[in-house]
Amino acid sequence: MVCRDLGILETESALKRVVPILSKVGSGRFKMKFSRQTTLRSQATVTGVGVHSGLPVSLTIGPAPVDAGFIFVRTGLEGCDREVQASPESVIATEFATVLGDREGPLVSTAEHVLAALRGMGVDNATIEVDGPEVPIMDGSAAPFVAAIDQAGIVNQSASRRFIQVLKPVQVTMGDSFGELRPYAAGFRAEVEIDFANPMIGRQNYVLDLSPERFRREISRARTFGCMNDVARLWSAGFALGASFENSVVFDETRLLNTEGLRYSDECARHKVLDVIGDLALAGLPLLAAYRSVRGGHKLNHAVLTALMADRSAWRVIEAETVRRSRAQTEVGSGMVGGLIAPAYSPDVS
């Protein structure tokens, strides 16, 4: 397997904000909140560079109506702004990152990190305005987008939260890569295995039962990664002009080249989990499913999601109350409330 992942390759202070007090999640008041859709209280903006162009770009996340899902708005174009729904049908490329577009062509690249932050933190509906062709790479992780979500705040909406419940396994094999979505009643689980020829990465595994607390703590800070020979090749071809040691974890055959070291010993596997959450957020609704990925990437993630959507007998849409009734006896813990994924609330909301 080639050693690449960046969108090339495919703060700290904000992450120290108080996590909601989980000891309260068993109360009826909190259960009611978790059963409703959420959006952002206000707007928040981050600025950075595009990983391929190296040019400045700003991204603003903000509120969206009930059942809107995630809507990208590409600004800065001649004529008028263009919108694209974050959906499997909007994906037009997956080689180096997840690229969304319409019949007129690509609109926004490297969408997966901001989508992962929104889905991981329990946001159902949001607008994402981008004034360039790429979501800013920031530090290569989802942490700056989590900080923006914290700044904007999360609020409840009037409608019940809806889920896509996977009813039977759906599998895709691509060469030596394998992906599978299967039924899983307790929420969303990611089981990711990577296996790179580069000995500095090698084989790593990570399993995550998604909750806002675990996403923030275990996944959000994991950065995109790649190998120096891939970076050099992309640079020479005019790609990855915004890539640097400030936004990518880079290895050669014998060592890690980032002087500050890794954020986690298995940071590469955790970043692949981050990508999975972002790519599967294109389903439009939270998944009640377990996703297993072996030697995967954006292309595989999209292929499995597309295969699921194409098989109408493999899934159904259900509302939170249906999930609650079917899991009334489930033990509450780890951010799970009656089998539902608990959203993260800013301190002044809850």
Side-chain angles (χ1 to χ4, degrees):
M1 175 179 286
V2 293
C3 180
R4 68 185 182 200
D5 174 75
L6 303 174
I8 25 188
L9 314 168
E10 241 191 80
T11 277
E12 195 67 40
S13 60
L15 292 174
K16 293 179 181 177
R17 291 173 180 248
V18 177
V19 175
I21 302 172
L22 293 179
S23 62
K24 294 183 179 180
V25 298
S27 72
R29 180 170 65 92
F30 278 73
K31 284 184 180 181
M32 287 182 61
K33 286 188 173 184
F34 298 153
S35 68
R36 290 155 58 189
Q37 293 182 35
T38 63
T39 191
L40 299 172
R41 177 188 295 277
S42 61
Q43 292 185 327
T45 299
V46 298
T47 59
V49 299
V51 70
H52 287 300
S53 67
L55 298 175
V57 60
S58 293
L59 177 146
T60 300
I61 56 173
V66 162
D67 295 332
F70 303 134
I71 303 171
F72 282 87
V73 181
R74 174 67 197 283
T75 65
L77 297 169
E78 293 185 7
C80 60
D81 298 343
R82 286 161 61 191
E83 294 185 0
V84 60
Q85 186 77 35
S87 69
E89 296 77 21
S90 299
V91 176
I92 63 173
T94 55
E95 183 63 25
F96 298 125
T98 297
V99 183
L100 305 180
D102 57 21
R103 287 177 293 181
E104 298 183 37
L107 285 175
V108 59
S109 177
T110 324
E112 61 272 11
H113 295 174
V114 66
L115 288 174
L118 289 165
R119 177 64 72 224
M121 297 304 292
V123 179
D124 295 296
N125 306 302
T127 57
I128 307 115
E129 297 182 8
V130 186
D131 67 359
E134 304 171 77
V135 170
I137 191 63
M138 307 308 289
D139 68 348
S141 78
F145 302 116
V146 170
I149 292 168
D150 287 343
Q151 178 184 339
I154 300 175
V155 294
N156 294 288
Q157 296 178 289
S158 58
S160 177
R161 173 170 281 165
R162 298 184 301 152
F163 297 82
I164 291 176
Q165 181 184 35
V166 173
L167 303 175
K168 67 181 184 181
V170 174
Q171 302 174 347
V172 172
T173 299
M174 293 181 168
D176 62 354
S177 299
F178 171 81
E180 176 188 48
L181 276 165
R182 67 179 189 272
Y184 187 69
F188 178 73
R189 165 174 282 201
E191 304 166 356
V192 171
E193 177 183 326
I194 62 174
D195 187 7
F196 285 85
N198 185 296
M200 296 304 300
I201 303 174
R203 178 174 292 178
Q204 299 178 21
N205 299 273
Y206 205 82
V207 176
L208 178 81
D209 281 292
L210 182 61
S211 71
E213 181 192 32
R214 290 195 66 184
F215 181 83
R216 183 192 294 272
R217 183 180 68 243
E218 302 176 30
I219 302 300
S220 69
R221 299 180 65 243
R223 297 163 292 177
T224 191
F225 64 92
C227 295
M228 193 62 212
N229 58 343
D230 291 316
V231 180
R233 178 172 52 80
L234 288 164
W235 280 337
S236 66
F239 294 101
L241 301 180
S244 69
F245 292 123
E246 282 68 50
N247 56 39
S248 308
V249 176
V250 185
F251 303 89
D252 65 16
E253 293 299 316
T254 61
R255 62 195 173 105
L256 170 68
L257 300 181
N258 301 67
T259 57
E260 75 277 14
L262 294 173
R263 293 177 176 177
Y264 314 93
S265 61
D266 51 2
E267 186 167 358
C268 296
R270 294 185 192 222
H271 185 78
K272 286 291 190 178
V273 172
L274 189 158
D275 283 344
V276 161
I277 295 168
D279 287 339
L280 297 188
L282 293 166
L285 299 173
L287 292 170
L288 295 177
Y291 180 65
R292 182 177 174 228
S293 169
V294 179
R295 302 182 185 92
H298 301 301
K299 185 176 183 179
L300 179 70
N301 298 339
H302 179 248
V304 176
L305 183 57
T306 300
L308 175 72
M309 294 292 101
D311 185 352
R312 197 59 189 83
S313 68
W315 58 276
R316 64 172 179 165
V317 174
I318 61 174
E319 292 194 352
E321 190 58 36
T322 303
V323 182
R324 187 183 316 287
R325 286 196 301 266
S326 65
R327 290 190 51 79
Q329 304 304 316
T330 300
E331 181 179 356
V332 174
S334 301
M336 303 298 296
V337 182
L340 304 184
I341 303 172
Y345 291 93
S346 56
D348 62 337
V349 175
S350 58

